[in-house]
Each structure stands twice: as C-alpha cells, then as structure tokens.
Amino acid sequence: MNAEFVNPFIGGLLNVMETMAQTKLTPGKPKKKQSDVAKGDVSGLIGMVGPNVRGSMSITFDEALALTIMERMVGERPEKLDAEVADMVGEVTNMICGNAKRDLAERGYEFGMATPIVVSGHQHTISHQVDGAKIILPFMCDEGLAHLEICFDK
C-alpha cells in the first residue's frame, strides 16, 4: 500500500487525539494484517468511496484508553464501555477520516465517507469489505494501545 494513502490517516489520528483528547500517541511499526480479529476492545469503522479510490479505515482502542479519551473529551469517566463511549469512538473515527479526506483531496483523491459503525467486545471482528491489503499500525501511550487499520483497493 502506498504511503501516500496511509500518512494522512496517521496524521489525522495523532491530530485528533492531541487536540480533542490531550493524548499523545507514539506510533509503532506498521505491518500487514492477516485476520479480521480486532486488537482491542472497541472499534470504529468507516468506508470511503470515490471515483478513483475505495477503502475503509478503523481505529481500535483498549478499554482503558477509550475511557480515558472519553474522560478528557467530556470531563467524566464512565465505569465501562457503554453507548456514550461507542458514540465517542464513532465521532473520533469520523474526525480522523475527515482529516485524511482533506489531505487526500489536495492530492487528487476525492471520496465520500460512510457513517461510521462501532463494534465492541473481546475478540470482536472488523470486516473491511475491500479487496486490498490491510495495514495495521499500533500506537502506544501510558493509558493503553490504539490500532489503526487501513485498507484500500489500490
């Protein structure tokens, strides 16, 4: 997969986490993902379709990190993953993809964004519905791990 497609999503994730949740993430090493099983407890997934590109992106958070982000964004920490945390994950997914969409449009790649879906639970799966390779990138911070997955048909 072309770094030209990956870097805007990395930048979007780092930007959204720092500005909206005062959380600094440290990127790990990207690799090709072989299965649909998520690497965390709650995931947001969003599809993208345009005239010259089709793909999807997901962001998965460990429960502790998701609860911390929720606390930093709204001022209250839930006891566990709930509907409000799921809404927040969907919103974060939308913001990350929106950042990437803006950057990719400047490079000539236009696409529309679907409404994000959120899935949670131990060993939940993420189905990208696109034929391209899936890249997974881990991000670390003191509060837990996040995993960004990107899949394009390019």
Side-chain angles (χ1 to χ4, degrees):
M1 182 180 303
N2 191 330
E4 183 177 29
F5 287 112
V6 176
N7 290 337
F9 292 95
I10 295 171
L13 172 61
L14 296 176
N15 179 43
V16 168
M17 288 294 97
E18 286 184 31
T19 59
M20 302 302 293
Q22 300 77 49
T23 302
K24 185 165 177 51
L25 298 175
T26 304
K29 187 177 179 187
K31 61 184 173 192
K32 197 170 179 180
K33 188 170 183 222
Q34 304 296 335
S35 79
D36 288 342
V37 177
K39 300 275 188 196
D41 302 305
V42 60
S43 300
L45 173 68
I46 190 165
M48 300 159 275
V49 178
N52 55 358
V53 65
R54 234 183 107 223
S56 61
M57 178 220 86
S58 71
I59 181 68
T60 302
F61 298 104
D62 288 349
E63 181 174 5
L65 179 55
L67 297 177
T68 298
I69 292 167
M70 183 75 172
E71 180 179 22
R72 291 176 180 172
M73 288 179 77
V74 300
E76 289 183 30
R77 184 181 184 91
E79 290 183 25
K80 60 182 177 27
L81 297 177
D82 60 16
E84 289 181 358
V85 176
D87 287 347
M88 179 273 303
V89 170
E91 217 25 67
V92 165
T93 304
N94 211 30
M95 289 187 276
I96 294 166
C97 194
N99 270 264
K101 179 180 177 173
R102 183 189 64 239
D103 291 353
L104 287 167
E106 292 171 3
R107 299 175 190 168
Y109 297 102
E110 298 283 342
F111 58 83
M113 295 169 23
T115 301
I117 61 166
V118 177
V119 185
S120 63
H122 184 65
Q123 296 281 304
H124 68 272
T125 59
I126 301 168
S127 180
H128 283 278
Q129 308 283 318
V130 180
D131 288 335
K134 291 181 283 195
I135 302 298
I136 185 166
L137 301 102
F139 291 83
M140 287 86 42
C141 71
D142 291 343
E143 293 78 19
L145 294 173
H147 288 86
L148 181 67
E149 294 182 25
I150 304 161
C151 184
F152 278 100
D153 62 3
K154 288 267 179 206

